[in-house]
Amino acid sequence: MYKLLIIEDDQIMGEMLAMYLTEEGYSVKIADHGQKGLELARSFAPDVILLDMILPDMSGTRLCGELRSFSLAPILVVSMKTDVSDRVEALQAGADDYICKPFSLREISAKIGAIIRRTHQYQQQAASVENAEQADTTIACPENTFLLDLERRAIYVNQFHVETTFSEFEIMRLFITNEGKVFSREELLYELRGFDSFVTDRAIDVHIANLRKKIEDNPKEPKYIRTVWGVGYKFVSRN
């Protein structure tokens, strides 16, 4: 049974979501403020986190960042804010997807199902890579500038650990295992999300910008994650 954590200060909304998703077969816990959400995220270890961006004790952006400091669970933001800038802010804070209120219960159930399927798919892919590497759980670039630890889902740049979101890690894994290949935004979106996601390719640009800030010496003049104008992006480990 998959575990869901709902962090929502609207009691009626939280209970409605919990009731519906419990009937869908999930194990659900609710937190009505950020601090309780952090405590439950540590003790409950959810598979997916539903996060409202407006909470009484802290901003959803801050909470998202704190969750990311110890949890790899995909974060689905649920918010009344509909502006593109709000979506970008959530993604930059570490969210993996975004859904606007009002929404149908079937829609949010489909979102959660898609996230879980993608997570399961990535775990299978990681296992396949590990088997192909004869149980080696790391992927390294030729010059060992970048190292991916598949078991811990950790990225090391010049031996220093770099915190990444679920989506950012998957983009880097795709880049490093296909060095030099040019990916369009649509290809990255498909590899990352599959056909059943409602997000747009704008999310890819946000993830790329975040990765550049984390791995590049000068994100404004990237050496590793390069833009191929009119097409998309490619990764190179050597200059």
Side-chain angles (χ1 to χ4, degrees):
M1 179 181 292
Y2 290 106
K3 298 184 290 185
L4 305 181
L5 172 60
I6 300 171
I7 307 176
E8 168 65 69
D9 67 328
D10 184 325
Q11 183 178 358
I12 295 176
M13 173 68 73
E15 291 179 353
M16 178 182 67
L17 282 170
M19 184 180 301
Y20 182 83
L21 294 170
T22 298
E23 291 177 354
E24 291 284 293
Y26 297 105
S27 173
V28 182
K29 289 190 180 296
I30 310 174
D32 58 3
H33 57 275
Q35 189 58 45
K36 183 179 178 181
L38 287 170
E39 294 169 2
L40 281 176
R42 292 181 184 277
S43 61
F44 185 49
D47 296 293
V48 179
I49 299 171
L50 273 63
L51 172 62
D52 187 4
M53 292 299 280
I54 303 175
L55 297 166
D57 58 337
M58 68 176 72
S59 71
T61 301
R62 175 188 163 193
L63 178 56
C64 200
E66 294 199 24
L67 287 167
R68 274 287 163 255
S69 69
F70 65 87
S71 174
L72 295 174
I75 297 174
L76 171 58
V77 167
V78 181
S79 178
M80 293 182 65
K81 298 182 177 181
T82 59
D83 290 345
V84 172
S85 61
D86 295 317
R87 297 177 185 231
V88 170
E89 182 182 1
L91 292 169
Q92 289 175 331
D96 291 279
D97 213 337
Y98 195 103
I99 187 170
C100 296
K101 298 177 182 179
F103 51 81
S104 72
L105 293 175
R106 289 182 62 188
E107 180 184 8
I108 202 162
S109 179
K111 280 267 192 184
I112 293 168
I115 288 172
I116 289 173
R117 286 194 298 275
R118 291 194 297 269
T119 304
H120 183 63
Q121 178 185 358
Y122 296 148
Q123 289 171 344
Q124 289 181 323
Q125 290 173 346
S128 297
V129 171
E130 290 173 17
N131 291 336
E133 296 289 330
Q134 298 181 340
D136 186 357
T137 60
T138 63
I139 301 174
C141 289
E143 297 179 353
N144 291 325
T145 303
F146 298 93
L147 178 72
L148 267 65
D149 187 325
L150 300 174
E151 185 174 308
R152 296 175 177 81
R153 295 187 61 81
I155 296 178
Y156 297 87
V157 181
N158 294 321
Q159 300 184 338
F160 289 96
H161 179 236
V162 175
E163 292 287 348
T164 58
T165 68
F166 183 90
S167 300
E168 290 164 3
F169 181 90
E170 292 304 324
I171 290 175
M172 281 300 296
R173 184 163 67 86
L174 190 65
F175 276 155
I176 288 178
T177 55
N178 295 275
E179 182 169 353
K181 178 179 177 179
V182 179
F183 288 92
S184 68
R185 290 172 178 81
E186 290 76 14
E187 287 174 324
L188 287 172
L189 188 60
Y190 172 69
E191 292 288 347
L192 191 65
R193 304 289 190 184
F195 285 119
D196 50 0
S197 176
F198 299 92
V199 296
T200 68
D201 56 6
R202 176 69 177 113
I204 296 298
D205 292 332
V206 173
H207 292 317
I208 293 294
N210 286 344
L211 279 171
R212 282 173 169 166
K213 291 176 183 176
K214 294 174 180 180
I215 72 169
E216 300 278 2
D217 295 328
N218 183 357
K220 294 183 178 180
E221 296 182 4
K223 296 187 299 182
Y224 304 113
I225 301 177
R226 299 183 183 178
T227 300
V228 180
W229 297 107
V231 183
Y233 302 98
K234 70 175 181 180
F235 173 80
V236 291
S237 63
R238 303 175 183 178
N239 298 305

